[in-house]
Amino acid sequence: MDKRYEVYALADGHFYDTPDRLPDTGGAAAAQFAAARRAVPDGWHASRSGDWLNLTPLGPDGAPLPSPAQGWKIHSSATAANAERIAEIVWDYCVPRRIPFKFVPGPQLLHLRNAKYAGRDTSGKFVTVYPADEARLHEVLRELGALLAGFEGPYILTDLRWGEGPLYVRYGAFARRYVVDERGTLALAVADGEGRLVPDRRAPSFQVPEWVTLPAFLRPHLAARNTTTVGELPYRIEKALHFSNGGGVYAGTDTRDGRKVVLKEARPHAGLAADGADAVTRLEREKAALERAAGTGVVPGVRDWFLLGEHRFLVMDFLAGRPLNSFFAERHPLLTPDPDPAKVAAYTAWALRIHAAVERAVEAVHACGLVFNDLHVFNIMVAEDERSVHLIDFEAAAPAEENARQTVAHPGFFAPPDRRGPDVDRYALACLRLALFLPVTTLFVVDRGKAAHLADVVAEQFPDVPRAFLDEAVAEITRDTAGGRRVRTTPPVVPGDWPYSRDSMVKAILASATPERDDRLFPGDIAQFSDGGGLGLAHGAAGVLYALEASGAGRYDEGERWLLDHTAPPPPGTPLGLYDGLAGVALVLDRLGHRQRALDLVDAILRENWRHLASDLHGGLAGLGLVLGRLADTTGEPSLRRHAAEAADIVVRRLAEPVPATPRPRAGLLRGASGPALFLLRRHQETGEDRYLATAAAALRRDLDCCVTQQAGGGLEVDEGRRTLPYLGDGSAGIGLVLDDYLAHTDNEAFARARNGILTAATSRFYAQPGLFQGRAGMILHLARCTAPGADRERLARQIEGLGWLAMDYQGQLAFPGHQMMRLSMDLATGTAGCLLALAAACDDPRTAHLPFLPPPPAARTRGSARTEP
């Protein structure tokens, strides 16, 4: 799970949204600190940006006073108990001295900054103060530090602590400036010693840029910071297993007896749970729970409990085995096009046996008077014999007599608010019955009624699962304990019922639009809330407008006006590329007839340092070069053609360089070498130059070198080290798209074999997500245009049917969940717009419904006959 998504799932029950839009449940006084409700002082300007309230002094002309673009900034952390007072002290100190500052204006937003899975680079930062120079920095630290003496707060990992109080310092950007970083993406920047813009590093550890000298008055504080080490512990820490905002989990060895141990770290005032408990409190709860459950044989033993610096550590026995989630990729029988009935039966027997073992373990914990409260596939350790299990991570456990609600939970097993005490674990056990066969229970946080549909799918795909086993799970998941009712969902139209499914998806998309908002038009992935993300092709308005038009659904005039309004000019820091930024917006606006605005955006791109972009299709030179070439064709502007040729030359030159041994190169259509290969194939078509075709082949070989053949199903997938990927965006299916185009130009036996292996990977029975770039819709789009033998109507129809497994209802219309599946999405990359485009290619005509620059190669067939019945 990507824990970043949880905080974006709090503000809205259907869609990901920013946490500053959390509903006010306690009135205005509870929603904001008293300082945030103060009148703005004369000569000051107040503004909101994300979860910050900014206060800036004004000059005599009413404009903000000039301030440095970068320097040493001061942060203050805070707790829920003292934040109100700290904000007032900072306000009263900074306003008369005319020092700009900002702070988090309300307790909900402060809680989210310090929550368990908040970003470690922003954790703890409640106030930021911007001193004009080092002399003022020292003055503010001394004076404000004295005023805040004795106040507590979480440690700010990116900064250097000043004394024992809540103040910290870091050198970084004051103004928002941007530069293309070494990955070829736009990043916040500072100027180095020679005045060149370089990325402003924000790793969760204190670092001083090499051109900056640490002020003498900070050196004692750095020395104090470095005095705490693990060298004197009787444990050798060998590996970090996991990090969260609350601390780390480490594997190690007890040097006294050589036994393997696990050390769990807790930071005070950080890693907050829903009830406000910090990581230390939760670790104390875990220790008490493990000691209470000692002797059951289903929990790790406690070995030690100590304090290091201000951090609390719990040492536990190391448990041999593997977490339950790790078995799915290698064992699940639906990860192949044609599941072997014998393997399906064997897996069914194994899964039922594991579930029974988990039930026994939970019963043992309940017999001790405890509720586990956080049962999910990552917290179940399967022993090496694969018959017994242990439960781990008891920080949310509570005495059964408290009859409490959950405070920490995995989204796929998160009990509804009416479940308390042991019922919380029973709900999770019910979810586990379905998750062992279809691990998509995160859908239940949107709609628990989906359980009945998933149970039917399990029954069809795993015929040996007892129906009562499934029906009992559905009854537990969907029951309403308060009113005795059961949750029921009327399924929307099925995806293959074209064109009715198209019309239904379009209604859902348009119903979700919010043209009154400035940060986004259509709800989608959390990436849209990054700089400029609400505009782009992958996650923003441009992608949805493209999908509507390309799928034959028509145009959305109000949406086009929104996009035009919000690109005049685009927000500072908007990325430049095809899928992440301005190039993709320009392409769509030109396609929709707004040519001058498209040219204006391209002109803005070309004024940036675009030659330093990465080579990829997503945000780099391959995507930009394709857009420049397309606009050169539509406008006849020769300078655009020259810039496209220059981009191609840069890409060719880079591809001639050796592939670095580390880090592991990325592969695939969006971020690998297949995107540049596509660009060079189009250049070959335009110019006839063979060097482009030859370099495209070399680029494709580079990506294929990153692929492996799966033992289970025989599909060719991208090897990322910890996992393999078959997907359209970063996996092998995207490589397959470009292989198809290459093979339309010339024969290549190795490429043809690879394409066949990719076809196998694109026809598996199960994919965990529906989206275009990381899910089943991408496989549908690939099959709709694929020219390989075996890309037949039956396999395509099966994928369309499988897409329906994840179909959801939005206002009575067909919609799909986004990435991580905790909320619906309407964007192109992860959501309903991408599914719409894929289904249009499969059920209508891939010659009109396709990704930009990827129409079907000449030999591809129209797939209208792939239509399936409802």
Side-chain angles (χ1 to χ4, degrees):
M1 292 296 299
D2 187 335
K3 296 297 184 179
R4 296 176 304 157
Y5 283 77
E6 291 188 28
V7 70
Y8 287 90
L10 297 174
D12 187 283
H14 284 105
F15 303 112
Y16 295 119
D17 212 335
T18 53
D20 60 305
R21 289 182 173 268
L22 276 165
D24 174 12
T25 56
Q32 289 192 324
F33 296 120
R37 301 195 304 273
R38 289 182 177 183
V40 179
D42 291 339
W44 284 76
H45 175 69
S47 64
R48 282 293 297 268
S49 59
D51 53 3
W52 290 107
L53 175 61
N54 304 278
L55 277 297
T56 307
L58 303 176
D61 60 353
L65 287 175
S67 62
Q70 62 193 59
W72 289 97
K73 62 179 74 174
I74 300 171
H75 290 116
S76 176
S77 62
T79 67
N82 63 30
E84 184 100 50
R85 183 62 185 138
I86 288 177
E88 292 174 343
I89 290 172
V90 171
W91 181 296
D92 293 340
Y93 178 83
C94 289
V95 167
R97 293 166 178 81
R98 300 186 65 73
I99 302 171
F101 67 102
K102 65 182 181 181
F103 65 100
V104 177
Q108 280 186 316
L109 296 175
L110 175 62
H111 177 93
L112 294 175
R113 278 189 163 260
N114 294 328
K116 181 177 180 181
Y117 288 108
R120 298 171 74 229
D121 58 336
T122 58
S123 171
K125 296 175 182 177
F126 171 56
V127 171
T128 308
V129 179
Y130 298 96
D133 51 38
E134 289 187 7
R136 199 66 184 271
L137 168 72
H138 194 192
E139 178 184 274
V140 174
L141 286 170
R142 286 186 284 107
E143 296 176 352
L144 189 56
L147 293 172
L148 296 177
F151 285 85
E152 295 183 317
Y155 198 100
I156 297 176
L157 298 173
T158 59
D159 290 25
L160 175 64
R161 189 176 189 179
W162 174 261
E164 301 299 321
L167 294 186
Y168 296 78
V169 294
R170 183 182 84 86
Y171 189 93
F174 289 10
R176 295 177 74 84
R177 298 185 291 177
Y178 298 89
V179 68
V180 177
D181 65 15
E182 67 276 3
R183 296 175 301 172
T185 59
L186 217 56
L188 284 167
V190 291
D192 67 10
E194 298 180 4
R196 299 171 301 191
L197 289 181
V198 297
D200 182 9
R201 306 294 182 190
R202 301 186 180 204
S205 62
F206 176 65
Q207 300 173 352
V208 181
E210 59 183 17
W211 69 89
V212 174
T213 301
L214 186 73
F217 56 83
L218 292 179
R219 291 173 190 164
H221 302 273
L222 181 60
R225 176 183 180 274
N226 293 335
T227 57
T228 301
T229 68
V230 298
E232 296 182 3
L233 294 178
Y235 305 103
R236 183 173 61 251
I237 295 177
E238 294 159 345
K239 182 181 180 182
L241 301 176
H242 173 69
F243 283 110
S244 75
N245 190 28
V249 181
Y250 311 91
T253 299
D254 189 328
T255 57
R256 296 166 296 190
D257 58 17
R259 291 175 63 181
K260 290 185 175 182
V261 295
V262 172
L263 299 91
K264 192 168 185 178
E265 171 192 27
R267 302 199 303 122
H269 310 300
L272 304 182
D275 63 351
D278 70 356
V280 173
T281 300
R282 290 188 287 104
L283 197 62
E284 290 170 345
R285 292 174 180 172
E286 180 161 15
K287 176 177 177 290
L290 292 177
E291 289 173 341
R292 188 167 179 171
T296 60
V298 298
V299 303
V302 174
R303 292 179 60 86
D304 202 355
W305 177 252
F306 64 87
L307 195 65
L308 180 64
E310 297 180 357
H311 294 199
R312 177 61 69 178
F313 283 82
L314 173 66
V315 184
M316 299 167 284
D317 289 328
F318 177 86
L319 299 175
R322 295 163 53 193
L324 179 55
N325 70 290
S326 69
F327 287 86
F328 291 120
E330 66 184 45
R331 183 165 297 186
H332 200 284
L334 301 191
L335 301 179
T336 183
D338 301 298
D340 181 346
K343 291 183 178 179
V344 172
Y347 178 86
T348 299
W350 176 85
L352 294 173
R353 183 174 72 242
I354 291 296
H355 191 275
V358 176
E359 281 189 319
R360 290 192 296 271
V362 171
E363 289 169 0
V365 170
H366 286 183
C368 298
L370 288 171
V371 179
F372 188 21
N373 270 333
D374 196 18
L375 179 70
H376 57 78
V377 292
F378 293 84
N379 282 352
I380 299 167
M381 290 290 291
V382 179
E384 293 174 330
D385 63 6
E386 296 191 16
R387 291 188 173 275
S388 57
V389 301
H390 289 85
L391 306 180
I392 61 173
D393 200 359
F394 273 73
E395 64 181 37
E401 62 267 20
E402 293 181 2
N403 201 38
R405 288 174 54 181
Q406 278 179 302
T407 58
V408 175
H410 183 287
F413 298 80
F414 186 34
D418 62 359
R419 311 302 166 88
R420 293 176 175 270
D423 273 357
V424 170
D425 289 346
R426 295 187 185 105
Y427 179 87
L429 284 167
C431 291
L432 184 62
R433 292 192 181 199
L434 301 181
L436 281 163
F437 299 96
L438 288 179
V440 294
T441 55
T442 49
L443 294 175
F444 299 164
V445 299
V446 180
D447 182 2
R448 283 185 285 139
K450 188 67 177 177
H453 181 203
L454 293 184
D456 290 341
V457 176
V458 172
E460 179 184 4
Q461 300 297 320
F462 297 87
D464 292 340
V465 177
R467 187 70 216 199
F469 180 84
L470 301 174
D471 291 343
E472 290 167 4
V474 173
E476 175 61 36
I477 292 166
T478 59
R479 72 181 173 91
D480 181 344
T481 59
R485 302 183 308 275
R486 297 191 184 278
V487 179
R488 285 287 181 259
T489 298
T490 301
V493 60
V494 297
D497 188 11
W498 192 267
Y500 302 108
S501 59
R502 178 194 65 196
D503 297 342
S504 187
M505 284 184 281
V506 171
K507 290 176 183 176
I509 289 169
L510 297 183
S512 74
T514 54
E516 71 279 3
R517 289 179 58 163
D518 288 325
D519 57 341
R520 56 108 156 131
L521 175 59
F522 298 102
D525 192 70
I526 67 172
Q528 69 183 320
F529 300 116
S530 302
D531 291 322
L535 303 177
L537 193 59
H539 303 297
V544 179
L545 296 176
Y546 174 87
L548 290 173
E549 196 271 339
S551 65
R555 292 169 58 170
Y556 175 40
D557 292 339
E558 189 173 8
E560 292 179 33
R561 287 194 298 272
W562 186 95
L563 190 55
L564 290 168
D565 289 344
H566 289 79
T567 52
T574 302
L576 307 180
L578 172 59
Y579 281 101
D580 66 349
L582 296 181
V585 177
L587 178 74
V588 173
L589 287 175
D590 181 68
R591 179 185 178 108
L592 297 175
H594 307 291
R595 183 153 299 161
Q596 187 55 53
R597 178 58 53 79
L599 290 173
D600 292 343
L601 294 178
V602 168
D603 184 60
I605 295 169
L606 296 176
R607 289 197 301 270
E608 299 289 340
N609 198 5
W610 62 271
R611 296 172 182 84
H612 286 190
L613 290 171
S615 297
D616 63 52
L617 186 70
H618 182 264
L621 289 176
L624 176 58
L626 285 164
V627 172
L628 291 171
R630 175 64 54 82
L631 289 177
D633 291 338
T634 60
T635 67
E637 175 56 53
S639 65
L640 297 181
R641 200 172 306 282
R642 289 195 300 271
H643 283 116
E646 184 181 1
D649 288 342
I650 295 171
V651 170
V652 168
R653 185 168 64 249
R654 290 177 182 174
L655 286 169
E657 298 170 354
V659 180
T662 57
R664 180 189 293 267
R666 300 190 71 169
L669 178 67
L670 294 185
R671 296 175 179 86
S674 293
L678 173 65
F679 175 35
L680 298 177
L681 280 174
R682 298 293 175 255
R683 291 292 299 169
H684 169 72
Q685 288 176 316
E686 180 181 347
T687 67
E689 293 186 42
D690 289 339
R691 67 185 180 108
Y692 291 133
L693 188 63
T695 310
L700 286 167
R701 283 191 290 270
R702 181 177 291 192
D703 265 7
L704 291 174
D705 285 344
C706 298
C707 295
V708 294
T709 299
Q710 293 297 100
Q711 289 185 349
L716 191 69
E717 300 185 4
V718 170
D719 183 7
E720 277 199 336
R722 63 187 180 91
R723 60 180 181 172
T724 62
L725 300 177
Y727 302 120
L728 192 74
D730 295 314
S732 55
I735 303 172
L737 293 182
V738 188
L739 284 174
D740 258 348
D741 276 57
Y742 183 90
L743 291 168
H745 287 85
T746 183
D747 293 333
N748 184 303
E749 185 177 344
F751 284 1
R753 286 196 304 271
R755 182 177 62 170
N756 291 336
I758 291 169
L759 178 63
T760 300
T763 52
S764 288
R765 188 67 58 88
F766 175 74
Y767 299 97
Q769 299 192 108
L772 186 64
F773 287 161
Q774 289 183 284
R776 197 184 292 265
M779 308 309 173
I780 293 171
L781 186 69
H782 173 62
L783 293 174
R785 73 185 294 283
C786 185
T787 59
D792 54 35
R793 292 179 302 177
E794 180 182 351
R795 293 198 181 279
L796 181 56
R798 188 180 296 166
Q799 292 302 322
I800 295 172
E801 178 187 12
L803 185 64
W805 298 356
L806 303 177
M808 304 289 283
D809 176 281
Y810 179 66
Q811 297 190 10
Q813 304 300 335
L814 176 61
F816 290 92
H819 193 51
Q820 302 295 308
M821 305 223 294
M822 287 183 274
R823 292 293 183 265
L824 304 179
S825 169
M826 298 299 175
D827 70 26
L828 180 72
T830 71
T832 307
C835 295
L836 171 67
L837 185 71
L839 288 169
C843 300
D844 209 338
D845 191 344
R847 292 172 296 186
T848 54
H850 56 77
L851 284 172
F853 310 105
L854 276 165
R861 300 179 297 278
T862 299
R863 296 290 190 179
S865 54
R867 194 171 302 159
T868 58
E869 296 302 322

